[in-house]
Amino acid sequence: MFDYQLSDYLLLFLFGNFAGFINVVAGGGSTLTLPFLILMGMDASVANGTNRIGILTQTMAASLSFRKSNFKDTNLSFKLAMLTVPGAILGAIYSTQIEENTFQVIVVGVMVFVAISLFIPKSKKKEYVDTIKKLPLLAYPLMLLLGFYAGFIQVGIGFLIMAILSSVLNLNIKRVNMHKVFIVFINTIPTLIIFIVTDNIDWGTG
C-alpha cells in the first residue's frame, strides 16, 4: 500500500472517471492513468497491474450496457476475445519480469506512438459491414499480437483493436466499439489474475 494524501486519491478518482469515459467511447484512457500512477511514485509493474482494475470494471459495465440495449454480436465478440487471451497471458507474465527502467522507457515510447497515431488520416472510401461469418486468416495472428500487447502494457489498445477490426474485418465503427470493450473485458480477466498472483496490485489505489 502506497502512502498517498487525500488530494492524490481525489486526482486518481477524477482521472479514473475521465479515463473510463474515454476508454468506452474511443480508447486511450490508460495513456492518462498509467503514467499518472507511475508519476505518483508507484512501481511501474504495480501501476501496470493496478490500472487493470479500472479497465476491468469499465469494460464490464460498457459490455453490459451494450447487451441491455440489445446491441450485440455475441459469437463474433467472444471469438475475437478468446483469440487475444493466450497473447494477453504471455504479455502480462513478461511485463512482471521486465526491469523497472526499461518498462518506463517503453511507456514513454508507446505514449508518443499513440499521440502520433491520432493524426494519421483514416480511410473513408471502404464499405463497412455489421458482421462477418468467417474471419480472414490475417485476423488470427493479429488478435494474438493485440492480446500480447494488451497483457503487457494496455496503453492505446483500444485504438489498435479498432484499427484492426475496421481495416481487416471491415466492421463499421459502432460494431467495432461494441466488440472492442468486450475483447478488452475478456482478456483483462486472466491478465488481472496474473498481476494479483505476482503481487503487483495496490488494491486501495485501484
Side-chain angles (χ1 to χ4, degrees):
M1 183 72 177
F2 291 81
D3 186 20
Y4 296 134
Q5 304 298 317
L6 180 61
S7 58
D8 295 325
Y9 284 110
L10 178 60
L11 284 173
L12 277 172
F13 177 78
L14 295 174
F15 261 79
N17 278 277
F18 183 58
F21 173 77
I22 293 175
N23 273 335
V24 172
V25 174
S30 291
T31 58
L32 297 175
T33 53
L34 182 58
F36 184 69
L37 291 172
I38 295 174
L39 286 173
M40 287 179 66
M42 189 177 290
D43 296 338
S45 58
V46 178
N48 194 18
T50 303
N51 190 49
R52 310 305 172 110
I53 297 175
I55 292 168
L56 182 69
T57 55
Q58 294 157 15
T59 53
M60 179 176 64
S63 295
L64 289 174
S65 178
F66 277 123
R67 293 188 68 84
K68 287 181 180 179
S69 301
N70 202 31
F71 192 66
K72 57 187 178 181
D73 188 349
T74 305
N75 289 338
L76 183 56
S77 287
F78 189 75
K79 186 173 185 178
L80 292 169
M82 293 308 296
L83 288 174
T84 68
V85 169
I89 293 172
L90 292 174
I93 292 173
Y94 180 65
S95 71
T96 61
Q97 299 174 347
I98 197 169
E99 293 183 359
E100 178 85 8
N101 291 337
T102 302
F103 186 81
Q104 291 184 9
V105 170
I106 292 174
V107 170
V108 173
V110 167
M111 289 182 64
V112 171
F113 171 78
V114 170
I116 293 174
S117 69
L118 295 177
F119 296 96
I120 299 176
K122 308 297 188 297
S123 173
K124 297 181 179 180
K125 297 180 180 180
K126 296 177 65 175
E127 292 187 6
Y128 296 98
V129 296
D130 286 341
T131 188
I132 58 173
K133 294 184 177 180
K134 185 177 180 180
L135 293 178
L137 289 178
L138 184 59
Y140 291 87
L142 286 177
M143 296 310 293
L144 181 66
L145 290 173
L146 285 175
F148 180 87
Y149 180 83
F152 178 71
I153 196 171
Q154 182 72 34
V155 176
I157 187 61
F159 296 133
L160 295 175
I161 291 176
M162 293 175 77
I164 296 300
L165 296 189
S166 62
S167 62
V168 178
L169 275 63
N170 295 328
L171 295 173
N172 70 55
I173 190 62
K174 291 183 179 180
R175 294 283 172 168
V176 162
N177 198 38
M178 172 190 71
H179 291 302
K180 178 202 70 179
V181 293
F182 186 80
I183 291 168
V184 176
F185 167 60
I186 292 297
N187 67 44
T188 299
I189 296 172
T191 300
L192 183 60
I193 291 173
I194 290 170
F195 283 110
I196 292 172
V197 171
T198 56
D199 196 26
N200 283 295
I201 298 285
D202 180 1
W203 289 104
T205 304

